[in-house]
Structures are given as structure tokens and as C-alpha cells.
Amino acid sequence: MDKQTLSFQAEVKQILHLVTHSLYSNKEIFLRELVSNASDACDKLRFEALDKAELYEDAPNLEIRVWFDEQARTITIRDNGIGMSAEEAVAHLGTIAKSGTREFMAKLEGDQKKDANLIGQFGVGFYSGFIVADRLTVETRRAGAAPGEGVRWSSEGSGDFEVETIERAQRGTDVILHLRDGEEEFLSAWKLKSIIGKYSDHISLPVLMPQQKWDEEKKEQVTTDQWEPVNKAAALWTRAKSDITDAQYQEFYKQISYDQEAPLAYTHNRVEGRTEYTQLLYVPAKAPFDLWNRDKRGGVKLYVKRVFIMDDAEALMPVYLRFVKGVIDSADLPLNVSRELLQESRDVKAIREGCTKRVLAMLEDVAQSDDPGQKDKYAEFWRQFGQVLKEGIGEDHANRERLSKLYRFASTQADEGVSFEDYVKRMKEGQEAIYYVTADTLSTAKNSPQLEIFRKKGIEVLLLIDRVDEWMLSHLYEFDGKPLTSVAKGGVDLGQLQDEEEKKAADAVAEAFKPVLERLKAALKDRAKDVRTTARLVDSAACIVVDDGDMSAHLARMLKQAGQTAPKSLPILEVNPEHALVKRLDGDARFDDLAQILFDQALLAEGGQLEDPAAYVQRVTRLLTPQG
Ligand code: ADP
Ligand code: MG
């Protein structure tokens, strides 16, 4: 192929513009990104060579070499990994395969830090070379291709790049950075070594640099033609726990997650038994931007006997733990395992169960810690990931109880952080149920009329305001033997919390009220399946409840918003016989208007929408207008 000039994809141009103009801090990470790509390329070769050994050609030892040339002002990163064909070079280095570019740019534009660290997170690490270089040259040859099929790719990092065919004897890739003016600090063996030590120590292949030697005559360090490893070259998780520092664990986390924040917790174990594996798992402190992306797979990498098999091995973690990052290295799975096979493997099932338990244990440690710092961390974790963890209740029966203990809610006592255990400890004497109300927002929940009697009696009510709460409730019926009971469903039966006298008084009022109730029922016959008096209300005139077996109004609304049809069942209107408005109903000439208004207001108070808001406004206006 003759030399061709091609244009970068529009997204790449935008990224490049930002990279070259905006990233001032942590410039050194370009080396981490390029070494990481070199390491990925070697992993890919090892994987493809599993059933095609000839791909190793005559160089079976995979390695990465890094060197610099002071005169030419270049740094070169060489790997003998899989390499790229011309088509691959054009596709991989000229376009962006992954989604998330826009989020990346938004983050960069919003973030004052302008931290180069961000770049790896979005699958655009290669372009970080342009932070320090004003030209990148890539020379590469795909493993197995003829020497005449080498490729040179080159760009100044603005609008376009060049590609041409070259002769290249060795397989793999050289990335050559032509440094910008002012970036001379990277032309130093010591500097490069220290960056590699900092970011790439755990890379499982040797990263080699030319050995430096003291020259007695010249009185300076000179570069020899001996190559020496500058990293430990043992995959971090294969090393003994006692040999790994906290800082190394943290750095490894950053490398695999591209999260700048320290993880909430991590766990590293060798598991022996029916199936043997090593797990190094991290729980992040902050949610990634794509947590809610349904297509997103898990964050766990699968290795088999230290050979990288696949990223995002979702079969290894339940969906509700999709935020967990880390590595699982199995001693038993076959090296040619596929995603399909993973789904069916009994070993994988055992690994998933083991890892799930580990992750829950990590979370429990943080949640139950007496250390206020840890408690705050858990609160933050819950804000970030609580909704995802709630999905687990339907997905993971075996761990239902452990999960429910990790859950936190708002309640009438605290705006957040209330666990079922806290609630149970605070239950009143004689209280048998855990009470909750569901609503769209905290303030709707808090002001819900159904809470009035509970407030009066000092009984705590959980305020469930997450979208997933209704789903959670369809799988979780009780905690610690105490039923979860909606304050907006069925009759209020406060059990022993209501004394005999109160019950008797309530019955008497209901009896006396019968004629009015009959008229209300008639007036509202298309809207309410029943109208009854209640002891639930203290300050409000009326509220809406549903029958025990019926879907809550909140859930019905959510289904409707999601475009699904909710089964149509009429709610029940409950009225407060002590309320002045209700008392005056009897004998009022505007009975029908008042009945409709009572119903509409009860619906509004509970976060519902009126079917005919104009009619409501007209009725209220009529009421407010002085009669001639
Ligand atoms: P990512 O590594 O997240 O895929 P990068 O921007 O770092 O994103 O790299 C883009 C792509 O370019 C890689 O996925 C890979 O296909 C290709 N690539 C980059 N460096 C190399 C290399 N040294 N050898 C082979 N392919 C490479
Ligand atoms: Mg990369």
C-alpha cells in the first residue's frame, strides 16, 4: 500500500483537541497507557496462539522494551505482541470503538483538574501519547503476517494520519513518541523507570530498559546495550499478600478501573477446594458514568493459569454486583473457554458464589464498622450503588438476608441511612410490623397523609423513594420475622398499638357516618371502589389507599410512565370523620363538588395526577367564589 492520508473520525478529533490543549496534570500517565496497550497486545497474542503456536514465530518470550534517544528526542515503546494489520491500524488508531466519548469530553470540560488520568477510563488511552508528543509514529506487523506486510502509521494529532506499508522483520508494535518542546524531562532513564515502577509494576511481562552504567572516564552514567527488567513482572494477584503493599493494591485498582478515587474495599484470596482460583476484587467508592448502561458487562477480568482470557466476564459476578472490579484467575477452567461455556460451567458457578460471598463480606465489614470514617464511606457507597444492590433481592435468593441487612433507607426519623436492624431496634412495644410508604420523592413521602396516625403514635415509617423499591418489595416481604406493611394498603390495623377504647370509638363514628358514606360512594362510584372512615388520619381530611392484594398507586404510575399497562383497579377513599370539612359534608348543598374535591386532593397529596385538572380547578373556584 502506498502512503495514504486519512482523516480521523470526528470524535477522535475532538478528543485529540482536548488531549493536546487541556490535560496539564499527571502527564506521565501516557507511559502507563502505552505500556498497558503493549501488555494487552501480548495477552492477545498468547490467547490466539493457544491453538496456533506458529504465531510465536521465533520469539516465544513476550516482553516490552522502552528506550529513549536524546538526540532524536524520541521515546519508543516496543512489544512483540499481536501487532496490527493495515486495516486494524486504521480502525483502532483512527476511530473510537467504545461509547462514552461524549461523557469523557463533558467530564474534561467540567473538571477543573484537567487530569490526564481520566483518559484511560474511556478507552482512548492511545491518544494520551499526544500529551507529550507532537508526532506519534507506530510501526507494527501482525503476528503471522509476512515481513512485507508491516505498517507505518503516523500523525501529528490534529486532523489526519498517514499509513503506508513497510518491511518489518519482527512482529508486534513500536510506538515512537516525538516529544514536544518543553517535555525533555522524560528523556531520562531514571524518570522513565520511576514512572514504570509507579504504574506498571504489576504488568505480568517483563518491561525492559537498557542498563545504565557508571563510566569512570566520562564521569557519568552511560547507556549500555544490556537490557534489564524494571518491573517485578509477576501479575500482582499471583504474589503473596504479605509482599504487596496497600499502595500497590491501590495502583492496580486504578489501572484496571481507571477510577481516580481509592476503592472502598478490596479482598485478595487464594481459594482452594472443589475448584481452585485466586480472586482480587475491589468495590469502588464512586459509581462509574455508565453504571446504568444495561449492556454494560461486569468489571471482572478472567485469567486461566495466568493467561488472560477475557475482560468483562459477566458470568463471574451476579448482575447486581456489576460495579465490582478485579481479577479472577482460575486453575481449573480450560484455556479455550468461551462466554457460552462460562454460562454453563459448574466451576464458574462455584466461583461466582464464592466471589459474591466475598463481596458481601467486604460490604458488611465497612457497614458494620464502628469507625466513623468507615460509616461515612458506607453512606457514600450506598448513595452511589444502593439502587443496584437492591436489585439483588430478586436475583440472589441465597443471600437475601445478608443483602437486606446491607440496605439503607430514609424514614420518618432520619433522611437516610436507616437499616432494617435500626428500625427493628426502635420498634414500639406491641408493634408487629415494619411500616413503609412508597413515593416519588422524599417530600411527597414525608407529607403523605397516611403517616399521620403513625406520627401521632410515634411509630417510625420507612420512606421508600427509589424507583427500585417497588421491585424490592415484590421480593422482600419480611425482615427478622416482621412483615413489611404498607401504610397505604388495606385497613390500618395498628394491632396492639391501638387501644380498645380507640377501636370502639372508631366503630361508633363509622356507624354514625354511614349515611354520608353512602352518599359519597354514590357520588364517587366511578372513581373509588369504596369509601370508609379511618383512624389513619389526624390533620388531613381524606386519603387514598388500595386493597391488600392490589397494586400500589405508586407502582401503577411507574408502570404507566414506563409505557406498560397497569391492571386497572379502583382505589379506596378513606375520610377522617374528625375533620371539619368532612363533618360539614352532611347537609351541604354542594355535596357533589365537595366529594370530588375531597377525592382529587387525596390523589394529589399522594403524588398522583388528576385525570381532569380543569374540572378540579373549576370546582375549587366555585367554592372560593362568594355566593351572590
Ligand atoms: P483501549 O486500550 O482501551 O482499547 P486505546 O486507545 O489505548 O484503547 O487503544 C486503542 C486500540 O488500539 C486497542 O484496543 C488496540 O486494538 C490498538 N492498539 C493500541 N496499542 C496497540 C499495540 N501496542 N499493539 C496492538 N494493538 C494496539
Ligand atoms: Mg489502552
Side-chain angles (χ1 to χ4, degrees):
M1 180 171 66
D2 292 337
K3 199 177 222 171
Q4 283 186 20
T5 301
L6 298 169
S7 197
F8 282 118
Q9 182 194 24
E11 275 98 331
V12 177
K13 284 186 201 163
Q14 286 172 291
I15 294 266
L16 284 170
H17 183 82
L18 282 168
V19 162
T20 50
H21 291 89
S22 314
L23 299 176
Y24 308 119
S25 59
N26 271 319
K27 289 178 173 184
E28 61 190 27
I29 63 89
F30 77 88
L31 192 53
R32 171 182 77 186
E33 294 303 325
L34 297 177
V35 169
S36 145
N37 284 350
S39 164
D40 289 350
C42 292
D43 279 345
K44 281 180 203 158
L45 174 69
R46 201 176 314 170
F47 185 66
E48 280 193 24
L50 284 174
D51 45 23
K52 229 174 158 190
E54 64 273 21
L55 289 182
Y56 281 118
E57 303 175 11
D58 53 357
N61 297 325
L62 298 173
E63 58 179 33
I64 299 167
R65 293 182 184 224
V66 177
W67 71 93
F68 66 94
D69 180 332
E70 219 166 344
Q71 264 70 55
R73 299 171 48 83
T74 59
I75 299 173
T76 303
I77 295 100
R78 166 175 295 174
D79 66 71
N80 57 1
I82 195 73
M84 283 176 271
S85 65
E87 293 76 39
E88 286 169 331
V90 171
H92 298 327
L93 308 180
T95 58
I96 299 171
K98 290 178 194 118
S99 59
T101 311
R102 212 174 319 119
E103 284 90 338
F104 169 65
M105 294 193 287
K107 205 155 173 188
L108 266 183
E109 274 158 0
D111 236 63
Q112 272 74 50
K113 286 181 291 181
K114 305 298 183 200
D115 189 340
N117 247 319
L118 281 168
I119 197 165
Q121 192 176 349
F122 298 89
V124 291
F126 173 76
Y127 303 110
S128 68
F130 287 110
I131 303 173
V132 296
D134 50 20
R135 168 171 285 277
L136 287 189
T137 307
V138 178
E139 295 187 355
T140 184
R141 173 169 70 75
R142 188 100 171 50
E149 291 175 45
V151 182
R152 179 181 293 125
W153 178 103
S154 177
S155 173
E156 287 175 5
S158 43
D160 45 34
F161 59 91
E162 291 169 351
V163 267
E164 63 186 311
T165 305
I166 54 166
E167 248 328 282
R168 187 173 158 92
Q170 75 272 39
R171 68 155 192 270
T173 306
D174 285 8
V175 177
I176 303 149
L177 300 131
H178 306 263
L179 292 186
R180 289 177 193 281
D181 278 342
E183 304 296 351
E184 295 71 22
E185 58 166 326
F186 295 108
L187 296 172
S188 140
W190 178 85
K191 178 82 183 174
L192 295 179
K193 257 186 213 175
S194 74
I195 302 173
I196 293 168
K198 182 167 166 195
Y199 294 112
S200 308
D201 210 24
H202 64 273
I203 293 273
S204 58
L205 324 153
V207 180
L208 307 173
M209 281 183 66
Q211 202 171 33
Q212 302 284 114
K213 227 169 78 188
W214 182 255
D215 188 314
E216 213 21 76
E217 266 164 44
K218 290 192 190 156
K219 299 277 180 237
E220 62 177 24
Q221 292 277 32
V222 294
T223 303
T224 69
D225 46 16
Q226 299 282 348
W227 293 85
E228 62 172 1
V230 295
N231 67 333
K232 289 222 171 57
L236 186 84
W237 64 93
T238 62
R239 286 157 49 187
K241 264 171 152 172
S242 52
D243 287 351
I244 309 173
T245 63
D246 188 49
Q248 287 171 323
Y249 278 123
Q250 308 258 3
E251 185 48 49
F252 184 68
Y253 170 71
K254 277 191 193 164
Q255 176 93 49
I256 58 170
S257 68
Y258 297 110
D259 184 356
Q260 283 133 282
E261 290 210 28
L264 183 79
Y266 57 83
T267 184
H268 181 197
N269 312 280
R270 189 153 301 144
V271 182
E272 279 158 18
R274 213 184 64 73
T275 176
E276 234 178 274
Y277 60 96
T278 299
Q279 54 186 191
L280 173 54
L281 301 173
Y282 294 86
V283 173
K286 284 263 160 65
F289 69 92
D290 54 356
L291 181 66
W292 298 105
N293 179 355
R294 282 170 193 281
D295 304 328
K296 190 187 153 64
R297 297 162 181 253
V300 175
K301 291 177 195 287
L302 175 65
Y303 284 73
V304 172
K305 300 185 196 80
R306 300 182 196 191
V307 177
F308 171 77
I309 306 294
M310 66 178 82
D311 262 327
D312 316 326
E314 73 269 37
L316 297 173
M317 275 286 159
V319 180
Y320 76 93
L321 294 181
R322 59 183 175 273
F323 53 83
V324 172
K325 305 274 181 206
V327 167
I328 290 167
D329 192 341
S330 158
D332 306 315
L333 289 171
L335 280 165
N336 60 356
V337 65
S338 64
R339 285 193 192 275
E340 291 67 38
L341 228 95
L342 280 180
Q343 303 290 353
E344 284 150 26
S345 155
R346 290 189 49 206
D347 286 326
V348 169
K349 202 161 167 264
I351 293 174
R352 182 171 55 220
E353 281 167 12
C355 289
T356 303
K357 292 216 161 74
R358 273 285 160 189
V359 172
L360 295 182
M362 273 196 275
L363 293 174
E364 284 160 3
D365 279 347
V366 183
Q368 291 159 8
S369 168
D370 292 325
D371 173 358
Q374 292 290 93
K375 277 201 180 330
D376 287 351
K377 270 192 182 175
Y378 191 74
E380 183 56 25
F381 165 80
W382 184 257
R383 265 171 242 136
Q384 301 278 330
F385 295 105
Q387 302 207 36
V388 183
L389 212 61
K390 280 182 191 163
E391 293 172 10
I393 205 79
E395 209 186 313
D396 188 354
H397 278 247
N399 291 302
R400 194 177 260 227
E401 196 181 322
R402 288 180 82 172
L403 278 167
S404 62
K405 285 186 183 167
L406 287 167
Y407 292 173
R408 297 292 181 270
F409 307 99
S411 86
T412 44
Q413 309 252 322
D415 280 356
E416 60 174 21
V418 178
S419 69
F420 282 126
E421 281 166 323
D422 297 334
Y423 183 98
V424 169
K425 265 187 234 148
R426 292 196 284 253
M427 277 169 68
K428 292 272 172 212
E429 210 165 302
Q431 182 181 347
E432 284 146 16
I434 296 173
Y435 293 104
Y436 69 83
V437 63
T438 56
D440 287 334
T441 66
L442 191 59
S443 62
T444 315
K446 274 184 178 169
N447 295 325
S448 152
Q450 285 96 340
L451 293 183
E452 290 170 2
I453 185 69
F454 294 88
R455 279 232 174 76
K456 189 175 161 196
K457 300 234 168 232
I459 299 169
E460 184 171 9
V461 177
L462 297 177
L463 310 174
L464 305 185
I465 51 172
D466 279 346
R467 291 187 73 84
V468 287
D469 286 337
E470 291 280 0
W471 143 268
M472 177 190 75
L473 290 164
S474 65
H475 295 275
L476 185 70
Y477 311 112
E478 54 105 39
F479 179 84
D480 194 18
K482 315 207 165 36
L484 293 182
T485 304
S486 165
V487 302
K489 271 191 180 178
V492 247
D493 180 10
L494 294 178
Q496 299 179 28
L497 291 165
Q498 213 174 14
D499 50 47
E500 279 311 307
E501 264 171 46
E502 281 176 321
K503 281 184 194 159
K504 258 190 219 146
D507 288 346
V509 171
E511 193 54 36
F513 233 75
K514 254 196 174 145
V516 182
L517 290 181
E518 289 308 320
R519 284 185 67 194
L520 280 173
K521 265 186 235 176
L524 295 170
K525 69 176 185 316
D526 298 328
R527 306 184 74 188
K529 72 169 158 194
D530 194 11
V531 182
R532 63 194 184 207
T533 55
T534 182
R536 215 187 289 265
L537 299 173
V538 178
D539 302 316
S540 298
C543 69
I544 280 183
V545 297
V546 297
D547 256 343
D548 274 328
D550 286 350
M551 183 179 286
S552 80
H554 178 241
L555 179 55
R557 268 199 304 283
M558 276 179 23
L559 285 179
K560 223 167 155 186
Q561 279 166 13
Q564 298 180 29
T565 45
K568 184 120 184 99
S569 62
L570 295 178
I572 297 165
L573 182 71
E574 290 193 344
V575 296
N576 175 3
E578 305 293 338
H579 197 280
L581 176 59
V582 178
K583 280 183 177 164
R584 87 174 221 210
L585 277 172
D586 198 17
D588 197 306
R590 296 161 302 178
F591 188 93
D592 271 355
D593 269 359
L594 287 173
Q596 300 295 342
I597 288 171
L598 211 54
F599 186 91
D600 285 340
Q601 291 191 336
L603 199 63
L604 287 173
E606 174 282 338
Q609 276 181 352
L610 301 181
E611 257 168 43
D612 189 353
Y616 169 76
V617 172
Q618 280 166 13
R619 285 192 195 103
V620 173
T621 310
R622 273 205 294 276
L623 270 184
L624 296 175
T625 312
Q627 311 278 302

